[in-house]
Amino acid sequence: MTIHVRPMRDDDRARWDAFVDAHPDATFFHRSGWSEAIQRGFGHRTRYALAERDGALVGVLPLTEIKSRVFGHALISNAFSVQGGPLASDSAALTALTDHARDQLQQSGATRLELRSKLPGFTEKEGLYAIFRRQVGTNRDDNLKAIPRKQRAVLRKVLDTDLEARASRDWATCHRVYAESVRNLGTPVFPKRWFKALLDVFGEAADVTTVHDRGTPIASVLSFWWRGEVLPYYGGGTHAARGGGYDLLYWSVMNRLAEQGGGTFDFGRSKVGTGAYSFKKNWGFEPTPLTYSFQLPQGQSVPDLNPLNPKFKLFIAAWKRLPLPVANALGPLVVRNLG
C-alpha cells in the first residue's frame, strides 16, 4: 500500500499529537506545538510533514528551516530540541519520511539536513552529546538515597537553609535569571518571546520552578511535563545560585515528579567534558550518548557548533565581558541562527 507524505495542516495537530503520545519511541520534541512555538519565538519557517497509509497516520516529521549567514542554510528535525527526528510506525513509513526530508533539502536550497536521531544511510555524528535519564519513585527518602553520597551531603545542607523553591508560570523571571547565567558562560541568550511561546503553546505541559533567597530569584528552570516524564530544559542561575540554588532547584522538580506518582526525570543533553555533564553525573545519572544523522554536500564535514571548539574561544571570552543589557539585546540575533 502506498504511503503519502504531505505537509501538516492546523487540523492535523490533534491526530499528530495522538500518534506521538501513543508511540513508544516518541519524545516531547515530536509534539506538533513546536512548529507554532518556533514560528512565534524565532520566525523560522517550519516544514512539518506527516505520512499516511490508506488515510491512517503512520509517521511524523518535525522539520524546521534555518537560514544563517554565518552557519549556513539547514533543515533540522527538530530544531531547538534535544531529539525529535522522524517518527514512524514501520520501516516503510520511516523511509518515506526521510525521502521527503531529502526532497525538502533540494527544494529549499538548504545545504545541510540534520535529523536528531540515529538513522541508516546518513552521516552520523556521535560522542559530542549525552543525555541523562533515570526513574524517580514516589518516596522522598528513597530518591534522596539514590543520589551519590557526596552530592547527597551537599543537598542536605541546602535543605537546612532559608532558600525557597516555588512553581509558577513566571517565564519572565525564568528568562531574566537564565539570561544572566548564559552570559556568564559566554553563550548568547534566547529571546524572551521564545520562553513566552513555550508556556503559551504547551499550556499545563510547561511550567517554571524558581529558587528564591530571601525573596530574590537566584535559580530558575523551565520544564516540560509529558507522559510520566519531566524535562527541566532551560535552567540557569546567578552567581548566588552556586551556594545551593542549583541543587534545590532540581531537587524541587524531582520532588514534584515524585508527588505526581513518580516517573522519568530527564536531565537533558550536555556536551561531554563540560561542567553540566559532570554536575549530572554527580547526581547519579549515567550518560547515554546521542547520535545525530546528517546529509551534507560532497566533501563537507559535520559542523562543529560546539563551545568547546577552539574556534569559539575568543568569542566566548568576549561575550562573558559584555554588560548584561548588551548581551541580552544581541543574544537573540545570534541564537536564532543556531537551532
Side-chain angles (χ1 to χ4, degrees), residues 82-226:
V82 171
Q83 296 168 292
L87 184 71
S89 298
D90 51 49
S91 59
L94 180 62
T95 298
L97 289 172
T98 55
D99 286 347
H100 177 79
R102 289 186 171 107
D103 289 342
Q104 292 295 300
L105 183 67
Q106 291 185 340
Q107 292 177 23
S108 67
T111 57
R112 183 175 88 249
L113 175 63
E114 179 178 343
L115 304 176
R116 292 182 174 173
S117 56
K118 184 179 177 67
L119 297 165
F122 286 84
T123 299
E124 294 181 355
K125 184 176 184 179
E126 56 185 0
L128 177 60
Y129 296 108
I131 196 168
F132 296 78
R133 292 163 56 88
R134 72 170 171 84
Q135 291 299 114
V136 169
T138 58
N139 186 283
R140 181 180 183 276
D141 290 337
D142 289 343
N143 292 333
L144 188 60
K145 291 176 183 177
I147 300 171
R149 180 179 56 83
K150 186 176 180 179
Q151 178 60 39
R152 186 168 67 244
V154 171
L155 182 57
R156 288 188 186 279
K157 290 181 180 179
V158 173
L159 294 175
D160 287 335
T161 68
D162 293 329
L163 297 180
E164 179 186 8
R166 307 172 196 163
S168 71
R169 299 188 60 77
D170 187 359
W171 60 266
T173 294
C174 183
H175 184 272
R176 185 168 67 251
V177 173
Y178 180 78
E180 181 174 344
S181 178
V182 295
R183 189 283 310 267
N184 293 341
L185 293 172
T187 303
V189 69
F190 293 106
K192 292 180 181 179
R193 63 180 182 273
W194 174 235
F195 278 45
K196 183 179 188 301
L198 292 172
L199 269 291
D200 288 346
V201 169
F202 291 116
E204 293 183 358
D207 67 13
V208 167
T209 303
T210 302
V211 173
H212 297 79
D213 183 1
R214 289 165 290 187
T216 300
I218 62 170
S220 190
V221 64
L222 191 161
S223 301
F224 303 121
W225 300 79
W226 180 73

